Amino acid sequence: MKFTILIILGLASLTSALNILPAVRSVPLNGGETNPTLTERQDAPAPNITITCTNRSIDIVDQQVAATKLGNWCSDGAFPYLAKHGFIVGGTRVYVCNWSMWNDATCSFDEIVRAQNAIASKCGLNRGGTWYRDDWEKSYGFDAVDDWQWCLGLAEEGE
């Protein structure tokens, strides 16, 4: 009897855990029928992300502090099209670039962390690089301050 109760409690916990996952909606197939196993998330094309390594050495602590400053700045709202914004801590610059010709962009700490992890995975933990997602027309970068080419051609946000 105790064994059965534990299994039921275990299933209840699993059900509760699954309820916190984001909901996905079924998409109609031919003829308007809905297939409950095909979701928008499965059907959406994967984003095209390009990571470029600069191989410049950066201080990981300075990078974290600058990334936090940029994340705090991002929470203030959108920034203009064809603009860039960054923070320098020590010898490290962390930045975001909006390459869109028409749309303001937003940025977030979560995006910064995703970009940072992807760059570290490809380039090395204390090496600079740039993360670019083409459908957002936006990039994040982590590099040495002497990189004068950050967001080359874009105006500093607020100028």
Side-chain angles (χ1 to χ4, degrees):
M1 185 65 159
K2 289 181 183 178
F3 183 74
T4 305
I5 294 170
L6 290 175
I7 291 174
I8 292 170
L9 290 174
L11 289 175
S13 297
L14 178 60
T15 303
S16 296
L18 291 176
N19 286 335
I20 63 168
L21 297 174
V24 290
R25 190 168 51 90
S26 298
V27 291
L29 299 173
N30 296 338
E33 295 178 31
T34 300
N35 179 346
T37 62
L38 182 63
T39 63
E40 287 181 278
R41 192 178 309 150
Q42 293 167 331
D43 199 36
N48 186 19
I49 295 172
T50 305
I51 298 170
T52 306
C53 302
T54 64
N55 293 320
R56 291 186 181 90
S57 182
I58 57 176
D59 182 276
I60 194 73
V61 174
D62 291 346
Q63 179 188 17
Q64 294 301 324
V65 173
T68 299
K69 288 183 177 197
L70 182 60
N72 290 338
W73 177 84
C74 287
S75 67
D76 288 342
F79 65 104
Y81 58 91
L82 295 176
K84 62 185 177 182
H85 195 82
F87 287 91
I88 295 172
V89 175
T92 303
R93 175 184 284 127
V94 175
Y95 57 90
V96 60
C97 313
N98 179 4
W99 299 99
S100 174
M101 296 281 291
W102 315 108
N103 299 310
D104 289 352
T106 59
C107 54
S108 73
F109 189 72
D110 288 342
E111 289 175 2
I112 295 166
V113 169
R114 276 185 277 175
Q116 189 175 24
N117 289 339
I119 291 169
S121 177
K122 181 174 181 180
C123 306
L125 190 57
N126 64 341
R127 294 290 179 198
T130 302
W131 178 95
Y132 174 76
R133 182 167 166 167
D134 66 352
D135 60 332
W136 292 349
E137 297 183 295
K138 179 170 49 177
S139 60
Y140 290 99
F142 308 86
D143 214 343
V145 174
D146 66 353
D147 178 18
W148 60 272
Q149 295 184 2
W150 69 289
C151 305
L152 189 60
L154 297 183
E156 185 96 34
E157 194 275 327
E159 290 184 342

